[in-house]
Amino acid sequence: MAEARLYFDWNAGAPMKAIARARLVELLDRPGNGSSVHAEGRAARAVLEQARRSVARLCGAEAKGVTFSSGGTEAANTVLTPDWTLFGKPYRLDRLLVSAVEHPAVARGGRFPADSVEVIPVDGDGIVDLAFIERRLAELAAAGERALVSVMMANNETGVVEPVAEVARIGRAHGALVHSDAVQAAGKLPIDIEALGLDVLTLSAHKIGGGQGVGAVVRGRNGFAFSPLVTGGGQESWARAGTENVASVGAFGAAADAALGDLGRVAEVAARRDRIAATIREIAPDVTIFGAPASRLANTLCFAVPGVAAETAVIAFDLAGVALSSGSACSSGKVTASPVLMAMGVDPALVKGGLRVSIGPETSDEEVSAFGLRARNVLAAMRKQHGTAAA
């Protein structure tokens, strides 16, 4: 009998939660457009508003600040715009500052002109340079320019947690707006948009077990609003046109409620992550674990073993029944050198070997043990082939 596959790629997409799946199936059988005034339309609207409240709770926000989108990428492109309003009056932004370790959805600058986008450097652990942000925002403010700063809450590849509250404090001191991509942080870190001082954050449902193809923009209570990316009808309070995907949004809401409960399981997830790390260190004592000295998500382990190329390792692990990844899962199935590791100043030879293991609350101790056995075989074979086996 074939061994069961091990899914250790939760950061690419978490398995759909049972409660979200049940909600999705239930809602697929219901007719009704959330913009219609008849009973079926009102029922669909009620589903949307219930989910809006659930997503808001996950972020410490008000429900009216939540706008649903087709996913995290659309959400990021929506907020990365020079065109904002403040209490209904135009509020034009001149510059976008993005960290060097952002997901491609943010790194490409959204709707800002390319020559208005600047990169915030990071240190060897991938932490943003706060002194650079302070200095650059002061310069822009002195020149009469307004900026939007975008720093992710936690990195999708390394799991490193960024000091977004401090970024927000600096931004506020210099009149800048601050956005954080919270796609990977949701359900793994407590999020309170007001306590963090953020103006806006973005989410994706499938990272918390809510299904693919739905996300959200969440705004703070500060009177700022973005220019819509998708225009047409008046759905989502004119913030995003197009008929809402009621079933998927409802499932997103159910997953958001469950994600709050997942916060109570962070310690056990971290213990399993650390077991995996210990096993890899035993197999390959010369392994490099990226971002290890920094605060990291409990579920994420990014590492490189000398002599092990990521491109062949991902395939070898897949053949051994293990799903893991190298870098972001948004490169059309390609295994490429990680811009995140390169921005951290990692040796190019190690960048080519960067692998990511990401697990979740439902990952079992038995699966962790099984991974250890398969990793031992895969890594030992690859190191032997390249003449780099540990003595």
Side-chain angles (χ1 to χ4, degrees), residues 190-215:
I191 300 175
D192 187 322
I193 190 171
E194 299 302 323
L196 290 169
L198 296 169
D199 297 293
V200 62
L201 59 81
T202 45
L203 303 171
S204 180
H206 77 276
K207 306 297 187 181
I208 60 170
Q212 298 175 0
V214 61

Side-chain angles (χ1 to χ4, degrees), residues 18 27 73 308 328:
L27 294 172
T73 294
V308 174
S328 171

Side-chain angles (χ1 to χ4, degrees), residues 161-187:
V161 178
E162 297 288 352
V164 292
E166 187 63 12
V167 173
R169 184 196 66 76
I170 295 170
R172 185 162 295 172
H174 296 287
L177 297 186
V178 179
H179 160 253
S180 187
D181 171 359
V183 164
Q184 290 296 341

Side-chain angles (χ1 to χ4, degrees), residues 81-82 92-98 108-109 111-119 136 140 145-148:
T81 175
R92 178 80 180 180
L93 302 176
D94 304 292
R95 298 278 178 170
L96 171 64
L97 276 61
V98 299
R108 293 182 179 174
R111 293 185 275 169
F112 275 83
D115 60 1
S116 297
V117 181
E118 301 180 17
V119 177
R136 190 66 186 111
L140 292 171
E145 295 190 31
R146 294 172 176 155
L148 173 63

Side-chain angles (χ1 to χ4, degrees), residues 77-101:
N77 277 266
T78 296
V79 302
L80 298 182
T81 175
D83 297 314
W84 285 70
T85 59
L86 177 58
F87 296 112
K89 296 182 179 180
Y91 194 89
R92 178 80 180 180
L93 302 176
D94 304 292
R95 298 278 178 170
L96 171 64
L97 276 61
V98 299
S99 87
V101 293

Side-chain angles (χ1 to χ4, degrees), residues 3-391:
E3 293 181 300
R5 287 189 60 82
L6 304 175
Y7 187 72
F8 279 39
D9 200 17
W10 285 58
N11 284 10
M16 198 168 194
K17 289 186 175 296
I19 190 171
R21 184 184 302 108
R23 184 65 167 153
L24 177 69
V25 171
E26 171 199 355
L27 294 172
L28 285 173
D29 285 334
R30 294 193 193 179
N33 183 316
S35 297
S36 299
V37 297
H38 48 58
E40 290 82 359
R42 295 196 305 273
R45 172 57 51 189
V47 170
L48 295 171
E49 297 313 314
Q50 179 182 343
R52 204 180 310 278
R53 290 190 294 271
S54 294
V55 171
R57 277 195 299 271
L58 182 62
C59 303
E62 291 183 326
K64 66 181 181 181
V66 175
T67 301
F68 290 114
S69 68
S70 66
T73 294
E74 185 196 316
N77 277 266
T78 296
V79 302
L80 298 182
T81 175
D83 297 314
W84 285 70
T85 59
L86 177 58
F87 296 112
K89 296 182 179 180
Y91 194 89
R92 178 80 180 180
L93 302 176
D94 304 292
R95 298 278 178 170
L96 171 64
L97 276 61
V98 299
S99 87
V101 293
E102 294 298 312
H103 185 278
V106 171
R108 293 182 179 174
R111 293 185 275 169
F112 275 83
D115 60 1
S116 297
V117 181
E118 301 180 17
V119 177
I120 303 165
V122 298
D123 66 15
D125 290 321
I127 302 294
V128 291
D129 185 337
L130 294 173
F132 174 91
I133 297 173
E134 177 122 43
R135 181 174 64 254
R136 190 66 186 111
L137 290 182
E139 292 170 349
L140 292 171
E145 295 190 31
R146 294 172 176 155
L148 173 63
V149 181
S150 185
V151 175
M152 65 192 344
M153 202 167 290
N155 189 264
N156 51 300
E157 294 186 33
T158 64
V160 168
V161 178
E162 297 288 352
V164 292
E166 187 63 12
V167 173
R169 184 196 66 76
I170 295 170
R172 185 162 295 172
H174 296 287
L177 297 186
V178 179
H179 160 253
S180 187
D181 171 359
V183 164
Q184 290 296 341
K188 303 166 191 171
L189 295 174
I191 300 175
D192 187 322
I193 190 171
E194 299 302 323
L196 290 169
L198 296 169
D199 297 293
V200 62
L201 59 81
T202 45
L203 303 171
S204 180
H206 77 276
K207 306 297 187 181
I208 60 170
Q212 298 175 0
V214 61
V217 175
V218 182
R219 289 181 289 114
R221 305 178 181 92
N222 52 18
F224 284 104
F226 49 83
S227 171
L229 173 66
V230 181
T231 58
Q235 294 90 350
E236 295 299 291
S237 300
W238 295 96
R240 198 270 188 184
T243 301
E244 295 96 342
N245 184 343
V246 176
S248 291
V249 168
F252 187 8
D257 288 336
L260 280 174
D262 287 342
L263 294 175
R265 305 176 66 182
V266 167
E268 65 182 81
V269 173
R272 293 187 178 108
R273 188 268 319 268
D274 291 344
R275 275 187 60 201
I276 294 169
T279 298
I280 293 171
R281 283 195 179 98
E282 180 184 338
I283 299 167
D286 52 350
V287 66
T288 295
I289 295 180
F290 302 111
S295 175
R296 289 177 295 153
L297 295 176
N299 80 313
T300 306
L301 178 69
C302 185
F303 66 95
V305 175
V308 174
E311 185 171 4
T312 52
V314 169
I315 296 170
F317 271 104
D318 186 44
L319 293 174
V322 180
L324 49 72
S325 68
S326 172
S328 171
C330 299
S331 301
S332 301
K334 299 175 183 177
V335 178
T336 58
S338 164
V340 170
L341 298 183
M342 290 190 290
M344 291 164 57
V346 173
D347 185 307
L350 286 178
V351 170
K352 294 178 181 178
L355 296 169
R356 182 188 68 189
V357 168
S358 51
I359 59 176
E362 284 78 40
T363 303
S364 67
D365 288 327
E366 292 74 19
E367 287 178 309
V368 170
S369 296
F371 173 82
L373 293 174
R374 298 184 202 183
R376 187 178 302 277
N377 292 333
V378 169
L379 295 177
M382 294 189 71
R383 283 164 68 81
K384 182 177 180 181
Q385 180 181 350
H386 288 85
T388 54

